[in-house]
């Protein structure tokens, strides 16, 4: 929803989705990454109401008052301005529900397109998307194409899908009762008349619900719609392009874009609150006779993200925490309470803390080195924390816990690789490259080891060899915490190995060669495993 700055819930979505992509690619799959832009939804409509009704601002006003130059002069960001305004609009509606007429009128105008309200909505959505993309790029998440909901409407995807649903008898129009005038889909296994036995696809006022547009979108993903989007390179202006990215468009588009869609399998990474709607989407495919695609429509759901009281105090020092708040295991985010954690604020807080730790450990390091090291540690801490818990468990994010250099954390794993590099570096200094970072793996013979020590050496190698199987299991079960936990077990095994069995100080050349080979194997394997989780390893820590 491009209506305000990305929040911490978006971070879990992005990390889980991106890690799934990396795991699938590691297993040899060809993966296309889409970021669906709901630019005609209720949230964008509410933001438009905020600008037009609360601020009395139209598109020309936004172009003047909220230009990048003006915002920079005031030390503001457009997505943060929208964040505050969206909270105001929410209270505006709560104070007087009759004001929701503004939302309905705005939604109608946005769906029709080619009018000042739709132009304003398109402008704020485009700017917000640029902010979201920059935020996600900070944590190593990138996309291939941005399908826009407005283009699903403009290019008549929904009309085509709706026609097929009607012909198949998958939807019907209600003539009386509370759903009179609506087109609904009957839901199986639900008591008739219970109020939950029908899902509205088209409202009585003619507007399409989210699930209706999503059925059309899901059909396109599988190549079932018989039509395609038009595409153009994403417009990053006024800033420079961050990476190559495509977007759908209602305009003529590029004459030779890449091919998108036509998937064999689709993972929809959406939080657990959307489970019901995702089931309706699958039901729509089944009612149209697309059983194979229905089975291959996979909802990758996850629970919300909250903050521990300590994290709230660190990120929001002015927020009034009560004694009851401090006693809770976590605090849920609530814009109405003034407790909404923006994604960039959390990343900034992690970077600041990591930089302080890096400077303390490396007082002679230059500013650029400190910044880059802190960035890698902060991103590693964030991504590992979002992955280490089961996806159906609420994540209570804690800054100190995430950044700890000991325990089940990203920095602990990164530090283990840095230690392996240091060991190989010292070996190289004393005995040459062939004894250190280029230690040959095929020349090491376990027969050289002391009796009774081979098992612990083999354990490390066997754990590394299990990475593909662990990755396969994590993908099949959609429980990516399995990858994170295996990485932690590996790091523990390596730390135990080098504490118990000297490498650099080992006088026996053949034994030293075995341990050097294991250190190299660990370094290379762990770097690849961490990359699967989107975690980079700093040069020093």
């Amino acid at each position: 929803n491009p209506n305000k700055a990305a929040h911490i819930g978006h971070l879990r979505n992005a990390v889980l989705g991106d890690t799934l992509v990396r795991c699938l690619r590691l297993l040899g799959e060809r993966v296309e990454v889409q970021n669906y832009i709901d630019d005609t939804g209720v949230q964008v409509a509410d933001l438009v109401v905020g600008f037009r009704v609360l601020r009395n601002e139209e598109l020309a006003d936004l172009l003047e008052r909220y230009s990048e130059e003006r915002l920079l002069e005031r030390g503001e960001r457009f997505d943060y301005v929208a964040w505050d305004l969206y909270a105001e609009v929410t209270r505006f509606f709560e104070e007087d529900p009759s004001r929701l007429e503004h939302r309905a009128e705005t939604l109608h105008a946005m769906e029709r397109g080619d009018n000042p309200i739709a132009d304003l909505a398109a402008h704020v959505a485009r700017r917000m998307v640029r902010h979201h993309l920059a935020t996600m790029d900070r944590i190593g998440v990138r996309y291939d194409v941005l399908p826009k909901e407005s283009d699903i409407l403009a290019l008549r995807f929904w009309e085509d899908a709706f026609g097929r649903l009607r012909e198949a008898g998958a939807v019907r129009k209600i003539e009386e009762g509370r759903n009179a005038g609506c087109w609904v889909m009957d839901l199986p296994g639900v008591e008739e008349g219970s109020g939950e036995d029908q899902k509205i696809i088209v409202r009585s006022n003619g507007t399409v619900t989210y699930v209706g547009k999503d059925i059309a979108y899901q059909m396109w993903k599988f190549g079932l719609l018989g039509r395609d989007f038009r595409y153009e390179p994403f417009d990053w202006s006024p800033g420079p392009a961050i990476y190559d990215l495509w977007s759908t468009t209602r305009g003529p588009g590029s004459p030779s874009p890449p091919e998108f869609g036509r998937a064999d399998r689709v993972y929809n990474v959406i939080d657990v609150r959307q489970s019901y709607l995702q089931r309706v989407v699958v039901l729509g495919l089944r009612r149209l006779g697309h059983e194979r695609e229905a089975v291959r429509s996979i909802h990758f759901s996850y629970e919300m993200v909250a903050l521990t009281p300590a994290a709230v105090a660190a990120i929001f020092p002015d927020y009034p925490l009560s004694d009851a708040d401090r006693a809770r295991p976590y605090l849920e985010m609530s814009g109405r309470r003034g407790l909404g954690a923006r994604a960039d604020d959390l990343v900034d807080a992690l970077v600041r803390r990591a930089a302080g730790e890096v400077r303390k450990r490396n007082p002679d390091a230059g500013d650029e080195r400190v910044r880059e090291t802190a960035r890698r540690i902060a991103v590693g801490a964030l991504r590992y924390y979002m992955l280490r818990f089961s996806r159906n468990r609420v994540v209570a994010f804690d800054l100190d816990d995430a950044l700890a250099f000991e325990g089940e954390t990203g920095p602990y794993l990164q530090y283990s690789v840095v230690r392996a590099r240091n060991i190989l570096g010292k070996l190289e200094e004393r005995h040459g490259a062939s004894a250190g970072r280029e230690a040959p793996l095929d020349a090491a013979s376990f027969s050289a080891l002391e009796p009774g020590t081979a098992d612990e050496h083999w354990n490390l190698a066997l754990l590394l060899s299990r990475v593909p199987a662990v990755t396969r299991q994590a993908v099949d079960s959609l429980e990516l915490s399995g990858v994170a936990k295996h990485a932690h077990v590996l790091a523990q095994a390596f730390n135990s190995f080098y504490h118990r069995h000297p490498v650099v100080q080992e006088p026996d050349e053949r034994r030293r060669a075995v341990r050097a080979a294991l250190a190299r194997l660990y370094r290379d394997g762990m770097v690849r495993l961490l990359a699967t989780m989107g975690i980079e390893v700093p040069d020093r820590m």
Side-chain angles (χ1 to χ4, degrees):
N1 293 314
N3 64 318
K4 59 181 178 179
H7 55 69
I8 60 173
H10 291 130
L11 292 176
R12 190 175 196 188
N13 175 288
V15 169
L16 287 173
D18 183 64
T19 304
L20 176 63
V21 168
R22 292 168 185 261
C23 286
L24 286 166
R25 286 175 175 161
L26 182 71
L27 295 171
E29 300 280 7
R30 186 164 65 92
V31 188
E32 178 180 308
V33 190
Q34 300 179 5
N35 185 359
Y36 181 66
I37 308 301
D38 186 7
D39 59 345
T40 62
V42 170
Q43 288 84 355
V44 175
D46 287 354
L47 184 61
V48 171
V49 171
F51 280 116
R52 298 186 68 247
V53 179
L54 298 188
R55 299 279 176 86
N56 194 30
E57 294 172 332
E58 299 292 347
L59 179 55
D61 301 303
L62 265 68
L63 292 172
E64 179 184 354
R65 299 176 193 173
Y66 301 102
S67 67
E68 294 302 320
E69 294 77 12
R70 290 286 186 89
L71 288 168
L72 191 61
E73 290 171 3
R74 299 195 297 267
E76 295 179 333
R77 287 173 44 166
F78 187 71
D79 57 338
Y80 281 23
V81 170
W83 178 282
D84 295 335
L85 180 57
Y86 188 75
E88 289 180 38
V89 176
T90 301
R91 292 190 293 271
F92 175 71
F93 289 143
E94 289 175 345
E95 291 166 1
D96 184 356
S98 69
R99 295 169 176 170
L100 289 170
E101 293 180 4
H102 293 295
R103 173 193 286 173
E105 293 168 359
T106 302
L107 278 171
H108 269 299
M110 288 165 57
E111 289 194 5
R112 287 196 309 271
D114 296 325
N115 58 75
I117 292 177
D119 292 342
L120 174 58
H123 173 78
V124 298
R126 277 196 302 271
R127 294 184 67 174
M128 217 65 63
V129 167
R130 287 196 290 268
H131 280 289
H132 283 198
L133 293 172
T135 297
M136 296 311 158
D137 186 63
R138 294 185 71 187
I139 63 168
V141 176
R142 293 183 171 186
Y143 308 93
D144 297 316
V145 62
L146 309 179
K148 301 201 297 287
E149 187 172 90
S150 59
D151 294 328
I152 286 179
L153 296 171
L155 300 177
R156 302 183 182 277
F157 279 29
W158 165 243
E159 288 184 23
D160 196 339
F162 185 45
R164 297 187 192 195
L165 289 167
R166 284 185 301 180
E167 289 174 12
V171 295
R172 62 188 179 93
K173 190 173 184 179
I174 303 299
E175 302 298 339
E176 57 184 22
R178 66 187 184 92
N179 289 339
C182 299
W183 286 87
V184 305
M185 183 180 292
D186 293 319
L187 305 181
V190 181
E191 182 182 353
E192 187 175 351
S194 66
E196 298 179 356
D197 56 330
Q198 298 172 344
K199 175 58 186 172
I200 296 174
I201 305 299
V202 181
R203 305 179 186 93
S204 59
N205 62 9
T207 57
V208 187
T209 61
Y210 161 84
V211 72
K213 287 172 279 192
D214 213 44
I215 290 172
Y217 178 40
Q218 193 77 351
M219 291 174 67
W220 168 80
K221 290 178 192 175
F222 282 111
L224 300 174
L225 205 56
R227 58 174 66 217
D228 198 1
F229 289 107
R230 295 192 287 269
Y231 305 94
E232 64 184 7
F234 180 73
D235 180 9
W236 290 94
S237 61
I242 300 177
Y243 57 93
D244 291 337
L245 175 65
W246 289 82
S247 173
T248 63
T249 177
R250 67 180 65 188
S254 171
S256 55
E259 181 179 305
F260 295 111
R262 301 183 180 277
D264 180 67
R265 187 165 65 255
V266 173
Y267 294 92
N268 290 328
V269 187
I270 312 175
D271 73 50
V272 71
R273 292 170 297 179
Q274 301 292 323
S275 296
Y276 165 67
L277 295 179
Q278 285 295 300
R279 288 195 295 271
V280 175
V281 170
V282 171
L283 179 61
L285 292 177
R286 285 204 163 95
R287 294 274 173 85
L288 290 170
H290 303 303
E291 180 63 29
R292 177 182 179 276
E293 288 77 12
V295 170
R296 295 181 178 222
S297 294
I298 302 162
H299 178 201
F300 185 7
S301 63
Y302 57 91
E303 265 292 355
M304 68 173 189
V305 183
L307 293 176
T308 64
V312 171
I315 300 174
F316 308 102
D318 297 328
Y319 184 80
L321 283 170
S322 66
D323 291 338
D325 287 336
R326 296 180 189 279
R328 293 190 178 104
Y330 60 82
L331 298 176
E332 295 184 24
M333 300 298 95
S334 170
R336 288 186 294 275
R337 293 176 59 198
L339 188 57
R342 295 178 294 226
D344 278 323
D345 290 345
L346 178 58
V347 175
D348 288 343
L350 288 167
V351 170
R352 284 194 300 271
R353 290 200 170 201
E357 189 66 27
V358 171
R359 285 197 182 281
K360 184 168 38 174
R361 293 168 179 249
N362 303 276
D364 298 330
D367 290 345
E368 182 56 36
R369 187 186 191 98
V370 169
R371 279 194 296 270
E372 177 58 18
T373 302
R375 183 194 68 79
R376 294 190 179 196
I377 292 173
V379 172
L382 171 66
R383 292 191 63 129
Y384 189 84
Y385 206 91
M386 292 295 183
L387 289 169
R388 64 180 267 203
F389 300 102
S390 165
R391 65 190 174 95
N392 291 320
R393 177 178 166 184
V394 173
V395 172
F397 198 92
D398 185 87
L399 273 70
D400 290 334
D401 188 15
L403 282 170
F405 277 53
E406 296 291 336
E408 194 176 351
T409 69
Y412 175 73
L413 304 185
Q414 291 168 315
Y415 187 72
S416 73
V417 178
V418 171
R419 178 59 65 93
R421 286 175 178 168
N422 290 342
I423 289 171
L424 293 170
K426 289 178 181 178
L427 283 171
E428 184 168 340
E429 289 175 5
R430 297 187 183 191
H431 307 288
S434 62
R437 61 180 177 175
E438 298 175 11
L441 304 180
D442 56 356
S445 173
F446 276 44
S447 62
L449 299 174
E450 306 97 316
T453 65
D455 284 352
E456 191 165 6
H457 290 68
W458 271 118
N459 180 54
L460 186 59
L462 289 172
L463 284 172
L464 285 162
S465 73
R466 289 197 63 237
V467 168
V470 168
T471 305
R472 179 78 266 173
Q473 182 180 12
V475 169
D476 290 345
S477 64
L478 288 183
E479 196 51 82
L480 302 182
S481 60
V483 174
K485 292 185 183 302
H486 188 70
H488 181 242
V489 169
L490 252 173
Q492 287 181 309
F494 177 73
N495 287 342
S496 173
F497 160 75
Y498 77 72
H499 279 305
R500 290 168 56 85
H501 305 287
V503 183
V504 179
Q505 303 298 332
E506 172 57 54
D508 186 283
E509 183 177 353
R510 295 178 66 220
R511 291 174 186 167
R512 190 170 63 242
V514 174
R515 292 169 189 166
L518 282 172
R520 180 186 169 189
L521 197 67
Y522 177 79
R523 177 201 63 189
D524 295 346
M526 196 60 158
V527 166
R528 285 193 297 270
L529 181 55
L530 289 177
T532 303
M533 293 184 281
I535 298 173
E536 300 173 274
V537 181
D539 295 330
R540 291 192 300 175
M541 290 182 71

